């Protein structure tokens, strides 16, 4: 048993950490967030130049052949910097869906671009009525002579505003909440009938809702077999969940470091407020929640790329549940411990707090995953 | 990053399983798994089996009859023994006073006491807490005054677990009142049969006699029963507390209790369905199982770090808090699982030999009592609040 990173993994994490420290000061992040792009094109280019956008891809694609632990190493540091780049959406989820379901030609067209960072993918799996259930798909794809005609709306597509490639789920058959009959389509956002309503998100990123009105795509837009995408989506969402868990741990580490510093510096009644037991115990609780979260992020990373099974499903649901609860606790307890300064835009803590809450709204919150876990409960 | 056991560790696990399959008495395992009372005889019988195997003293050097297990092996033993229903070892002799004697005692003490701990001849209890010294242990008042070749001990100890079975007690006593609280304490080994010692039961809220008060009235203790130096007892006490704290998270026991809970919830019915399929109850189980999964990984992380040469620090304190909260949550759910049958307190069903009709479930009788009994988990071994003070000071530097 050994929970340490190996030398390569440690180097990878150090590389990302150095880059984030150098390029992603809190002040710069606020500037990146306010641009039209919503993140730093320059930082994205540097991620790409250092080969970091290629981490999970095979060596033929210029990649690293990295698994869950390598992705975890990258995501944790992006979390510490509150980085806004669509790494999870494009590299992990977009790249993962194409890698698993795409045919040779699609992989050739898109994967190398995603791995090099030149092509940014965004993935629309949720819909206004779907809540977090990715099998709940009402967007229709009707087969016709030229390929497929898409109609429907995909909800809260993070990174969709600037994507070069949009991947959506759409129903080619079956009831609106059935895992059967879901297909994946990848196409340019410039296709006729694609309308994006772009917005900033509460945690400083950008996303959009995408309305598809008679969007005609070719047969070559279909990713994988028609109607068979349910299991692909579930598997790749699982990888994305593991990545989010790793990011969340990075965010929580910083949130706790900031809070601890503040307890030592801020004086009231003539002493640092960290002398007060009620604040000490809350700080210990924050550390303890972080350790629980860290354990689950490690476990999630260890199953992220293994074959699908109920055990993998359980671990990922458990991990996202713990991350969601721990994140909310640290967010709220940290703001409370900071007092008024924790409420301000100018001070960085609040932005960590917001990211933690936002992560709980991506790919299912703690309640959603608790329900999933409960459904997979084994009698003994 | 590797969360798997090595081939040697897996072989060790097989060895443990084979041993338990063959040697663990079925009646004892049934009592443990069904939360029934264990007698002194049960404990001693099992201790002798363990001793014969050479697996009783896992914290001792081999020269004194200990077994040299790695942290991972200890963990494997903990997991397997909880799963099999091995009785919790009574730690006061083997895991508490013995490490102190080995580290700070003299040769005569080692030669006299260690074999008697192994053989079961001595049953030790712990004389730490006093009515006025709980979390603030160093404020203890039991007084030992040197008089020739003896100390004369006067005072009172309390919460003395299984003191009614013990013939020896290790005590923290005050030998100097002129210095700071921590500096005037000594560590004495006292024969419970010495005149002037009275043991009085404390009946706990579940009706059990598990803890006692011990009174000392002009008790003459030979000076050779002093461990280490006079007035240095606090150092030894703190050393002992670190032994006490590791393993207090009770991950293995929580796993066994959770498995018991899930079986119970599969038998009990609500709305015509097993309780484990009830949406709200299954989510309660799910939540505690998830928390236990995380705590178990945290535990492994500590073990792996110790295996790699690290020292378990205040992480154990954090895990003690989490682990005891989890175990209490499981006990809470087990009590809830039997619904109205949490009320009847049917003492005869606690007896393993009971062959009458069970009022409800065969495992229902101890559940409420156990829930109340295990409120102690967050109080003993340094209350959970004290653990947070430790983390706050040692890890956070507050």
């Amino acid at each position: 048993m050994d929970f340490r990173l190996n030398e390569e993994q440690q180097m990878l994490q150090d590389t990302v950490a150095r880059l984030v420290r150098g390029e992603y000061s809190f002040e710069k992040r606020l500037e990146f967030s306010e641009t039209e792009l919503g993140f730093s094109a320059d930082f994205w280019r540097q991620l790409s130049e250092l080969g970091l956008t290629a981490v999970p891809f095979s060596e033929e694609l210029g990649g690293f052949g990295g698994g869950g632990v390598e992705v975890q190493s990258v995501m944790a540091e992006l979390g510490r910097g509150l980085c806004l780049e669509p790494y999870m959406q494009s590299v992990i989820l977009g790249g993962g869906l194409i890698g698993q379901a795409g045919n040779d030609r699609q992989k050739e067209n898109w994967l190398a671009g995603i791995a090099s960072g030149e092509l940014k993918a965004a993935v629309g799996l949720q819909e206004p009525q779907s809540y977090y259930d990715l099998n709940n798909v009402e967007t229709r794809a009707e087969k016709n002579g030229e390929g497929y005609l898409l109609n429907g709306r995909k909800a809260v597509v993070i990174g969709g505003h600037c994507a070069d490639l949009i991947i959506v789920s759409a129903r080619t058959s079956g009831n609106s909440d059935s895992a059967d009959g879901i297909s994946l389509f990848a196409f340019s956002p410039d296709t006729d009938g694609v309308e994006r309503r772009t917005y900033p998100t509460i945690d400083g990123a950008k996303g959009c809702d995408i309305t598809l009105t008679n969007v005609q795509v070719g047969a070559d837009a279909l990713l994988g077999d028609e109607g068979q995408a349910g299991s692909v989506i579930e598997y790749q969402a699982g990888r994305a969940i593991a990545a989010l868990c790793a990011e969340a741990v990075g965010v929580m580490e910083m949130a706790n470091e900031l809070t601890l510093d503040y307890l030592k510096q801020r004086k009231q009644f003539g002493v640092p407020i960290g002398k007060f037991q009620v604040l000490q115990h809350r700080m210990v609780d924050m550390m303890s929640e972080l350790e629980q979260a860290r354990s689950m992020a490690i476990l999630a990373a260890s199953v992220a790329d293994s074959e699908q099974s109920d055990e993998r499903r359980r671990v990922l649901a458990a991990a996202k549940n713990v991350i969601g609860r721990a994140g909310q606790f640290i967010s709220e307890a940290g703001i409370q411990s900071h007092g008024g300064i924790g409420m301000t835009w100018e001070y960085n803590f609040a932005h960590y707090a917001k990211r933690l809450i936002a992560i709980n709204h991506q790919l299912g919150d703690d309640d959603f995953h608790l329900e999933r876990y409960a459904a997979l409960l084994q009698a003994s | 990053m590797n969360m798997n056991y090595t081939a040697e560790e897996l072989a060790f696990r097989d060895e443990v399983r084979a041993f338990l399959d063959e040697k663990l008495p079925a009646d004892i395992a049934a009592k443990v798994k069904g939360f029934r009372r264990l007698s002194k005889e049960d404990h001693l019988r099992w201790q002798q089996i363990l001793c014969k195997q050479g697996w009783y003293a896992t914290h001792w050097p081999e020269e004194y009859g200990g077994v040299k297990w790695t942290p991972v092996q200890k963990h494997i033993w903990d997991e397997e023994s909880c799963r099999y229903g091995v009785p919790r070892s009574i730690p006061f002799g083997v895991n508490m006073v013995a490490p102190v004697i080995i580290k700070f005692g003299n040769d005569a003490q080692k030669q006299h006491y260690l074999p008697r701990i192994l053989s079961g001849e001595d049953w030790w209890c712990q004389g730490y807490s006093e009515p006025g010294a709980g979390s603030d242990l160093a404020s203890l008042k039991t007084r030992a005054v040197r008089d020739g070749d003896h100390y004369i001990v006067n005072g009172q100890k309390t919460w003395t677990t299984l003191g009614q079975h013990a013939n020896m007690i290790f005590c923290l006593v005050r030998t100097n009142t002129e210095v700071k609280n921590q500096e005037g304490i000594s560590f004495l080994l006292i024969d419970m049969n010495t005149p002037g010692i009275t043991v009085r039961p404390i009946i706990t809220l579940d009706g059990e006699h598990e803890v006692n008060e011990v009174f000392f009235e002009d008790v003459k203790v030979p000076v050779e029963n002093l461990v280490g130096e006079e007035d240095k007892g606090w150092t030894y006490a703190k050393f002992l507390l670190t032994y006490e704290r590791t393993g207090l998270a009770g991950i293995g026991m929580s796993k066994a209790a959770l498995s018991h809970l899930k079986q119970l919830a599969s038998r009990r019915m609500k709305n015509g369905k097993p309780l484990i399929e009830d949406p709200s109850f299954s989510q309660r189980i799910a939540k505690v199982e998830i928390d236990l999964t995380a705590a178990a990984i945290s535990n492994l992380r500590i073990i792996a770090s110790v295996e790699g040469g690290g020292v378990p620090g205040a992480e154990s304190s954090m895990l003690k808090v989490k682990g005891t909260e989890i175990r209490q949550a499981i006990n809470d759910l087990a009590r809830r699982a039997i619904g109205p049958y949490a009320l009847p307190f049917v003492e005869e069903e606690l007896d393993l030999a009971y062959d009458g009709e069970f009022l409800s479930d065969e495992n229902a009788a101890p559940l409420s009592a156990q829930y109340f009994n295990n409120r102690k988990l967050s109080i003993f071994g340094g209350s959970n609040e004290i653990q947070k003070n430790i983390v706050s000071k040692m890890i956070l530097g507050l």
Side-chain angles (χ1 to χ4, degrees):
Chain A
M1 235 174 337
D2 189 354
F3 289 86
R4 287 168 301 186
L5 299 176
N6 67 28
E7 207 175 316
E8 253 186 356
Q9 291 161 344
Q10 191 62 57
M11 270 172 57
L12 175 64
Q13 180 150 2
D14 293 345
T15 304
V16 186
R18 258 196 314 276
L19 185 63
V20 169
R21 260 201 316 275
E23 301 293 319
Y24 239 94
S25 70
F26 172 65
E27 291 71 24
K28 277 191 177 169
R29 179 190 186 264
L30 285 183
E31 286 170 23
F32 300 153
S33 174
E34 277 160 22
T35 61
E36 197 181 333
L37 187 60
F39 59 87
S40 162
D42 187 49
F43 184 76
W44 184 255
R45 189 181 43 75
Q46 293 187 61
L47 283 176
S48 137
E49 281 170 6
L50 288 166
L52 297 168
T53 45
V55 162
F57 298 103
S58 68
E59 281 165 33
E60 302 130 51
L61 290 162
F64 204 90
V69 179
E70 284 75 15
V71 169
Q72 184 187 15
S73 303
V74 175
M75 290 301 297
E77 294 304 327
L78 296 180
R80 287 182 67 93
L82 285 183
C83 298
L84 297 158
E85 288 63 27
Y87 190 91
M88 187 278 274
Q89 282 74 19
S90 182
V91 174
I92 307 297
L93 195 49
L97 290 170
I98 295 169
Q100 186 178 349
N103 57 34
D104 288 347
R105 197 171 155 170
Q106 289 166 328
K107 289 185 195 172
E108 200 177 305
N109 279 347
W110 294 320
L111 270 195
I114 289 175
S116 74
E118 277 156 48
L119 185 110
K120 292 184 295 298
V123 180
L125 300 174
Q126 313 174 104
E127 299 185 355
Q129 82 294 338
S130 69
Y131 203 56
Y132 297 118
D133 179 4
L134 302 183
N135 288 332
N136 186 307
V137 176
E138 288 184 0
T139 296
R140 310 290 310 185
E142 283 166 63
K143 200 164 185 171
N144 59 22
E146 297 162 66
Y148 294 87
L149 194 65
L150 306 182
N151 277 288
R153 177 171 158 191
K154 307 310 286 189
V156 195
V157 184
I158 303 298
H161 64 293
C162 65
D164 310 299
L165 184 72
I166 302 274
I167 303 172
V168 299
S169 55
R171 190 160 287 289
T172 37
S173 65
N175 300 327
S176 66
D177 58 355
S178 164
D180 286 335
I182 300 172
S183 304
L184 281 168
F185 297 92
F187 49 90
S188 158
D190 299 330
T191 313
D192 283 347
V194 176
E195 196 194 324
R196 288 182 282 184
R197 181 174 168 188
T198 295
Y199 38 72
T201 57
I202 191 71
D203 56 330
K206 277 198 165 63
C208 61
D209 271 31
I210 302 177
T211 307
L212 306 169
T213 310
N214 292 325
V215 174
Q216 179 67 53
V217 297
D220 56 358
L222 178 70
L223 271 182
D225 295 332
E226 187 184 295
Q228 302 299 308
S231 62
V232 178
I233 291 169
E234 189 198 6
Y235 187 85
Q236 293 301 330
R239 287 180 68 242
I241 282 172
L244 277 176
C245 289
E247 180 194 348
V249 167
V251 181
M252 287 182 215
E253 282 173 0
M254 277 300 294
N256 280 0
E257 287 170 24
L258 289 169
T259 306
L260 183 57
D261 276 353
Y262 190 74
L263 292 183
K264 289 177 178 172
Q265 280 162 21
R266 169 74 174 168
K267 281 191 179 158
Q268 287 288 273
F269 304 102
V271 292
I273 59 173
K275 290 289 167 209
F276 299 120
Q277 194 178 42
V278 70
L279 297 182
Q280 292 175 352
H281 283 198
R282 189 157 63 212
M283 189 68 237
V284 174
D285 291 340
M286 290 168 73
M287 298 302 287
S288 175
E289 291 308 303
L290 166 60
E291 289 312 313
Q292 291 280 93
R294 193 193 306 280
S295 288
M296 291 314 291
I298 291 171
L299 199 58
S302 78
V303 302
D305 292 288
S306 55
E307 210 179 304
Q308 185 63 291
S309 66
D310 276 352
E311 185 52 23
R312 180 179 182 269
R313 293 185 174 99
R314 263 194 294 273
V315 165
L316 291 167
K320 194 66 170 54
N321 171 269
V322 168
I323 294 291
R325 282 190 279 141
Q328 178 152 354
F329 178 79
I330 287 173
S331 170
E332 292 174 357
I335 291 177
Q336 183 69 24
S337 294
H338 276 88
I341 195 76
M343 294 296 298
T344 64
W345 190 276
E346 288 78 18
Y347 182 66
N348 54 1
F349 184 84
H351 298 268
Y352 285 91
K354 288 193 288 184
R355 181 66 195 130
L356 287 175
I357 297 297
I359 287 174
N360 204 20
H361 289 268
Q362 288 182 272
L363 295 170
D365 65 10
D366 51 320
D367 283 338
F368 177 79
H369 285 286
L370 185 65
E371 214 173 283
R372 280 181 66 128
Y373 189 96
L376 293 164
L377 209 56
Q378 286 179 317
S380 63
Chain B
M1 192 71 63
N2 171 18
M3 279 187 264
N4 302 318
Y5 291 136
T6 63
E8 293 81 31
E9 287 160 354
L10 286 173
F12 175 75
R13 191 176 68 180
D14 289 342
E15 193 188 348
V16 168
R17 287 178 178 174
F19 166 72
L20 293 175
D21 279 330
E22 193 190 341
K23 295 286 166 63
L24 178 62
D27 61 319
I28 291 181
K31 281 187 184 179
V32 172
K33 286 188 160 176
F35 308 121
R36 304 313 204 271
R37 291 172 193 155
L38 283 119
S39 65
K40 182 176 183 180
E41 185 278 328
D42 290 330
H43 281 292
L44 288 176
R45 183 155 48 110
W46 175 239
Q47 178 178 332
Q48 265 147 26
I49 295 169
L50 272 181
C51 269
K52 210 170 155 196
Q53 178 75 9
W55 287 359
Y56 181 57
T58 55
H59 288 296
W60 299 15
E62 280 162 311
E63 53 177 313
Y64 300 116
V67 57
K68 207 176 166 191
W69 280 348
T70 65
V72 173
Q73 283 179 313
K74 282 182 189 161
H75 169 72
I76 289 171
W77 169 256
D78 181 55
E79 293 262 301
E80 295 302 318
S81 59
C82 288
R83 207 164 63 80
Y84 271 80
V86 168
R88 183 178 76 94
S89 101
I90 306 297
F92 309 108
V94 63
N95 290 337
M96 295 174 93
V97 76
V100 171
I101 291 174
I102 290 168
K103 186 154 171 89
F104 303 106
N106 57 38
D107 284 345
Q109 288 167 339
K110 288 177 198 172
Q111 276 159 28
H112 179 72
Y113 291 111
L114 297 179
R116 294 165 66 93
I117 289 172
L118 284 180
S119 69
E121 207 170 338
D122 284 343
W123 182 300
W124 285 86
C125 64
Q126 180 180 28
Y128 267 34
S129 297
E130 296 181 5
S135 290
D136 181 14
L137 184 58
S139 71
L140 58 92
K141 292 202 163 55
T142 295
R143 191 82 170 88
V145 179
R146 182 77 182 261
D147 179 22
D149 293 339
H150 287 85
Y151 289 101
I152 308 298
V153 179
N154 279 285
Q156 182 190 349
K157 294 291 176 181
T158 193
W159 311 126
T160 313
T161 302
L162 299 182
Q164 72 267 36
H165 298 328
N167 65 315
M168 291 297 296
I169 182 168
F170 57 92
C171 282
L172 293 181
V173 294
R174 184 157 305 286
T175 37
N176 190 340
T177 53
E178 307 292 302
V179 289
K180 260 184 20 186
N181 268 350
Q182 283 85 347
E183 288 166 14
I185 293 170
S186 298
F187 196 102
L188 276 187
L189 312 176
I190 304 179
D191 186 334
M192 296 282 279
N193 294 315
T194 320
I197 295 181
T198 315
V199 178
R200 217 180 275 164
I202 299 173
I203 303 303
T204 45
L205 75 179
D206 53 337
E208 280 289 312
H209 176 201
E210 194 173 38
V211 287
N212 303 271
E213 296 176 287
V214 183
F215 296 88
F216 299 84
E217 204 183 335
D218 293 330
V219 176
K220 281 180 77 175
V221 181
V223 288
E224 61 258 33
N225 286 21
L226 175 75
V227 174
E229 290 176 57
E230 199 175 273
D231 294 350
K232 290 282 184 330
W234 188 248
T235 311
Y236 317 148
K238 279 197 300 187
F239 170 77
L240 187 153
L241 283 176
T242 62
Y243 268 89
E244 192 184 11
R245 214 170 288 129
T246 54
L248 277 181
I251 302 295
M253 276 185 277
S254 282
K255 284 186 178 174
L258 180 67
S259 156
H260 180 272
L261 166 66
K262 292 204 285 189
Q263 287 162 20
L264 184 70
S266 308
R267 293 194 298 267
R268 307 307 297 171
M269 304 294 282
K270 180 182 167 191
N271 295 331
K273 282 190 307 190
L275 195 52
I276 198 167
E277 292 169 25
D278 175 70
S280 82
F281 203 84
S282 67
Q283 287 189 21
R284 279 176 177 268
I285 297 178
K287 180 167 178 292
V288 75
E289 182 168 293
I290 288 170
D291 285 339
L292 179 57
T293 303
I297 298 291
S298 299
N299 190 38
L300 287 182
R301 284 166 49 210
I302 294 175
I303 290 165
S305 132
V306 175
E307 183 101 359
V311 180
E315 293 85 1
S316 313
S317 291
M318 232 159 12
L319 199 61
K320 190 258 172 176
V321 174
K322 204 41 118 179
T324 53
E325 285 172 355
I326 288 168
R327 196 139 145 251
Q328 289 176 334
I330 295 170
N331 289 155
D332 173 45
L333 290 181
R335 192 194 76 251
R336 288 169 183 270
I338 52 175
Y341 281 105
L343 293 176
F345 189 37
V346 191
E347 289 241 35
E348 63 267 25
E349 289 189 17
L350 294 177
D351 185 350
L352 203 63
Y354 177 73
D355 58 358
E357 192 190 338
F358 285 100
L359 191 61
S360 59
D361 191 278
E362 57 173 321
N363 280 323
L367 294 179
S368 287
Q370 195 205 22
Y371 158 79
F372 283 113
N373 185 284
N374 272 346
R375 300 314 301 168
K376 73 187 173 193
L377 298 177
S378 47
I379 299 171
F380 71 22
S383 72
N384 284 12
E385 290 74 20
I386 289 292
Q387 305 295 344
K388 289 184 186 181
N389 288 351
I390 293 171
V391 177
S392 167
K393 198 171 154 193
M394 287 174 57
I395 299 189
L396 304 181
L398 290 176

